[in-house]
């Protein structure tokens, strides 16, 4: 029996270098213990005094329900208890009826002390285990000082890395980790644990396949993991990670390094970016051209003239002053000029001079130095500096405070300014486009706007006509907006009848295109089955009869147009009464004509009830 144990122990890696004679001494001090299935060999956090060799059966190394590894015949566990008094780092439980050889610390240390051959054999094993480390140290430096310096640098590099670094051998046993890996794995004692136990099944299979392939191929590996892997920490926290895997070493001494980066925050950020990108694309689509004219529909002569002026001035650096009522599209004109200019690859910076308090607008335009005023805790770049080499659009320039206008005049004339609270002069190359709904010349005569600044701004004036003065443009713009909002809100497309167009034309549109856009959006929202009650949408609308009278005063309708209007009106009445012609609440009563007359008109106009 003793000879069988000696032969068995000689095959155990931990005793592989110990002589047969010394193994005989070891066998004399062994005790054999048997554990039934699910019986605990020892528990985590207990102080150990023995190591164990599995003679037959199997055990699991675990922490509560988390299994780190399983060991079978010929495997050892608890070796560290032979040389220290530290507590056990994990629990060991029998998976089946298991017999182990128990080696107590006191007998082990006595053998080390009394049996030189035993000590020599154990030392040889330890040396062999650390051969790779010794080889690396020999290559790194020839002196102790150099080794310590290089090790310090490497440890600092590894320990300071934000990514988790996990090194493991060809048996998937972890041999090195850094603090980031401890945090990711939620465990600071992972050495010699099976790295695959910290991944879900798919991720573990992926890593195992790469390692197996690397073991079959003698060439090195240094590649990105093809898929995102899921790490499951000791506290059951799941995280998504991307990473790289590399291989080094040869023969039986092959190691793999896995570098993992938690990307959950990045994935969340990417989702937000994707959402913002889609929103941006939609907003860009809205300000894109409705036609080829910079998003401006223009059949009206006055509007076409404005577009021609854009073409003439865009390629120059001339200062432009855009005048027009609120909501006429002055910013669209400014964007069109910038888009067609040689500065279109640089920013277009917009600022509404009427939307910023007078005490802050100087800082917004020209920036300020830290401490220039209460609340100026850091330096700030102004809009003019942000627009350098590009274009700045000064909307509602008429609202700029008089005391600030000389500074703007200096920028236009000299191309320079001083930030608030600074004596440093900053040079800029900025193309200036200004806009206002006010009569700036009249303002200058009244002393509300500097006359010299007005003439500096008015180098190339562009007048944007009001919507009510643009004739059929109103209907074209309305139809385009109806189409856009119907698609955006997933509503049936609404078509404008001649009566609807007349109703739209009768309104004064004080808010111009912006007001039209708001009303169209509201109309599409409340529309039902592709129909809109424009009387309820347009403010202060007049009756259809009055509108038709006003329209007739402008032009004479043909018989075909009159029949079309009559057919549309009868259809509306029939739909509203659910095709009831006579009787109370019938279409005839709604139209205030005899039922026989209505029936006759339905037949002559070719009106048929839908199936």
């Amino acid at each position: 029996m003793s000879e069988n144990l000696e032969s068995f122990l000689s095959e155990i890696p931990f005793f592989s270098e110990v002589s047969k004679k010394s193994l005989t001494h070891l066998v004399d001090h062994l005790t054999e213990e048997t554990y039934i299935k699910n019986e605990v060999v020892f528990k985590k956090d207990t102080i150990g005094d023995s190591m164990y060799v599995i003679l037959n059966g199997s055990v699991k190394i675990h922490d509560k329900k988390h299994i780190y590894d399983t060991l079978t015949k010929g495997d050892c566990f608890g070796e560290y208890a032979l040389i220290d008094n530290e507590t056990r780092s994990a629990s060991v439980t029998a998976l089946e009826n298991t017999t182990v050889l128990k080696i107590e610390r006191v007998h082990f240390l006595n053998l080390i002390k009394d049996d030189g051959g035993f000590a020599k054999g154990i030392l040889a094993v330890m040396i062999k285990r650390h051969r790779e480390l010794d080889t690396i140290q020999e290559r790194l430096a020839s002196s102790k000082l150099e080794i310590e310096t290089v090790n310090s640098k490497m440890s600092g590099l590894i320990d300071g890395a934000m990514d988790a670094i996990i090194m493991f051998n060809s048996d998937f046993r972890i041999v090195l980790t850094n603090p980031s890996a401890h945090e990711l794995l939620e465990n600071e004692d992972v050495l010699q644990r099976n790295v695959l136990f910290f991944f879900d099944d798919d991720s573990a299979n992926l890593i195992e396949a790469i390692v197996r392939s690397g073991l079959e191929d003698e060439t090195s590996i240094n590649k990105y993991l093809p898929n995102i892997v899921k790490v499951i920490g000791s506290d059951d926290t799941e995280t998504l990670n991307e990473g790289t895997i590399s291989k080094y070493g040869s023969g039986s001494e092959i190691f793999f390094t896995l570098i993992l980066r938690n990307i959950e925050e990045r994935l969340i950020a990417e989702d937000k970016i994707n959402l913002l990108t889609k929103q941006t694309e939609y907003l860009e689509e809205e300000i894109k051209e409705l036609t080829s004219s910079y998003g401006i529909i223009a059949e009206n002569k006055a509007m076409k003239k404005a577009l021609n002026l854009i073409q003439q001035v865009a390629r120059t650096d001339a200062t432009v002053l855009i005048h027009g009522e609120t909501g006429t599209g002055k910013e669209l004109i400014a964007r069109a000029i910038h888009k067609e200019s040689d500065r279109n690859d640089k920013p277009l910076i917009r600022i509404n001079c009427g939307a910023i308090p007078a005490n802050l607008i100087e800082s917004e335009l020209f920036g300020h130095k830290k401490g220039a005023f209460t609340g100026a805790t850091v330096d700030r770049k102004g809009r003019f500096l942000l627009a350098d080499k590009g274009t700045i659009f000064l909307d509602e320039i008429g609202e700029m405070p008089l005391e600030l206008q000389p500074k703007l005049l200096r920028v236009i004339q000299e191309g320079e300014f001083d930030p608030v609270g600074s004596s440093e002069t900053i040079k800029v190359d900025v193309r200036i486009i200004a806009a206002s709904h006010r009569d700036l010349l009249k303002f200058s005569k009244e002393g509300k706007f500097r006359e010299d600044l007005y003439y500096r701004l008015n180098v190339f004036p562009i007048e944007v006509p009001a919507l009510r003065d643009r004739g059929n443009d109103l209907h074209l713009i309305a139809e385009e907006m109806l189409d856009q909002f119907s698609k955006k809100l997933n509503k049936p497309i609404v078509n404008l009848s001649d009566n609807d167009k007349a109703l739209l034309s009768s309104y004064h549109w004080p808010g111009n295109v912006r007001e039209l856009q708001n009303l169209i959006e509201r109309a599409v929202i409340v529309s039902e089955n592709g129909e809109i009650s424009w009387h309820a949408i347009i403010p202060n609308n007049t009756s259809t009869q009055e509108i038709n009278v006003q329209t007739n005063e402008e032009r004479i309708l043909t018989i075909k147009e009159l029949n079309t209007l009559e057919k549309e009106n009868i259809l509306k009445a029939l739909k509203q009464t659910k095709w009831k012609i006579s009787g109370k609440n019938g279409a005839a009563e709604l139209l205030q004509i005899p039922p026989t007359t209505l029936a006759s008109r339905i037949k002559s106009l070719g009106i048929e009830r839908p199936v």
Side-chain angles (χ1 to χ4, degrees), residues 122-147:
I122 294 298
L123 183 60
V125 171
M126 300 305 295
I127 291 173
K128 185 177 180 180
R129 283 191 172 187
H130 292 81
R131 184 179 300 161
E132 183 70 19
L133 178 60
D134 292 339
T135 302
I136 293 172
Q137 289 175 334
E138 288 172 5
R139 292 175 181 174
L140 286 175
S142 59
S143 70
K144 182 178 179 181
L145 179 61
E146 285 181 297
I147 293 173

Side-chain angles (χ1 to χ4, degrees), residues 398-559:
E399 311 306 316
M400 178 175 285
L402 267 173
E403 61 271 17
L404 189 57
Q405 293 178 21
K407 201 164 185 175
L408 176 59
L409 187 61
R410 180 187 173 196
V411 178
I412 297 173
Q413 294 180 159
E414 309 296 337
E416 61 183 32
F417 64 88
D418 299 336
V420 179
S422 173
S423 58
E424 176 189 7
T425 297
I426 296 179
K427 288 276 188 181
V428 288
D429 174 18
V430 178
R431 201 274 182 76
I432 296 176
I433 301 175
S436 178
H437 72 284
R438 299 187 182 278
D439 185 341
L440 294 184
L441 180 59
K442 181 181 178 183
F443 252 39
S444 66
K445 300 300 182 184
E446 297 173 353
K448 298 178 181 178
F449 197 84
R450 287 183 64 100
E451 190 171 1
D452 50 357
L453 177 58
Y454 166 73
Y455 287 114
R456 280 289 181 180
L457 292 171
N458 200 44
V459 174
F460 196 91
I462 296 179
E463 183 74 26
V464 185
L467 181 61
R468 59 184 169 276
D469 299 327
R470 291 175 57 182
N472 195 48
D473 282 0
L474 166 62
H475 307 142
L476 296 176
I477 295 170
E479 286 174 339
E480 183 65 32
M481 289 179 176
L482 281 169
D483 183 64
Q484 284 188 351
F485 283 119
S486 295
K487 291 176 180 177
K488 174 185 173 183
L489 299 171
N490 197 26
K491 289 266 195 171
I493 301 296
V494 177
N495 296 312
L496 290 176
S497 66
D498 290 343
N499 218 27
D500 296 335
K501 292 178 181 179
L503 188 60
L504 290 172
S505 297
S506 70
Y507 182 55
H508 187 63
W509 298 109
N512 292 286
V513 178
R514 186 179 295 121
E515 183 183 11
L516 174 64
Q517 181 181 26
N518 294 338
L519 289 182
I520 293 288
E521 183 173 13
R522 186 195 314 163
V524 173
I525 290 172
V526 301
S527 66
E528 294 182 359
N529 301 320
E531 293 188 0
I532 294 173
S533 174
W534 291 104
H535 290 277
I537 298 297
I538 300 175
N540 302 320
N541 62 81
T542 55
S543 69
T544 303
Q545 183 177 1
E546 292 172 338
I547 292 166
N548 287 333
V549 170
Q550 293 171 5
T551 305
N552 290 336
E553 289 176 355
E554 295 176 3
R555 70 182 182 90
I556 304 300
L557 297 179
T558 65
I559 188 64

Side-chain angles (χ1 to χ4, degrees), residues 90-187:
S91 300
V92 178
T93 302
L95 292 172
E96 56 185 315
N97 291 341
T98 302
T99 302
V100 298
L101 299 176
K102 181 177 180 181
I103 304 167
E104 297 183 5
R105 183 198 305 148
V106 61
H107 298 313
F108 179 83
L109 294 179
N110 285 336
L111 281 174
I112 291 288
K113 179 181 178 182
D114 299 335
D115 187 338
F118 183 80
K120 182 178 178 181
I122 294 298
L123 183 60
V125 171
M126 300 305 295
I127 291 173
K128 185 177 180 180
R129 283 191 172 187
H130 292 81
R131 184 179 300 161
E132 183 70 19
L133 178 60
D134 292 339
T135 302
I136 293 172
Q137 289 175 334
E138 288 172 5
R139 292 175 181 174
L140 286 175
S142 59
S143 70
K144 182 178 179 181
L145 179 61
E146 285 181 297
I147 293 173
E148 290 176 351
T149 302
V150 173
N151 283 342
S152 176
K153 289 181 179 179
M154 290 186 65
S155 296
L157 180 64
I158 294 172
D159 292 345
M162 299 297 290
D163 295 338
I165 301 175
I166 305 171
M167 186 184 299
F168 57 93
N169 60 21
S170 56
D171 293 326
F172 300 97
R173 305 290 179 185
I174 298 173
V175 297
L176 184 146
T177 52
N178 69 339
S180 294
H182 298 159
E183 184 177 348
L184 180 65
L185 303 179
E186 299 181 316
N187 197 316

Side-chain angles (χ1 to χ4, degrees), residues 23 433 592:
L23 285 177
I433 301 175
Q592 297 183 8

Side-chain angles (χ1 to χ4, degrees), residues 50-67:
S50 306
M51 73 166 283
Y52 300 83
V53 181
I54 299 176
L55 193 58
N56 55 63
S58 61
V59 300
K60 64 178 179 179
I61 312 298
H62 64 98
D63 183 359
K64 297 179 181 178
K65 293 183 179 181
H66 187 87
I67 300 174

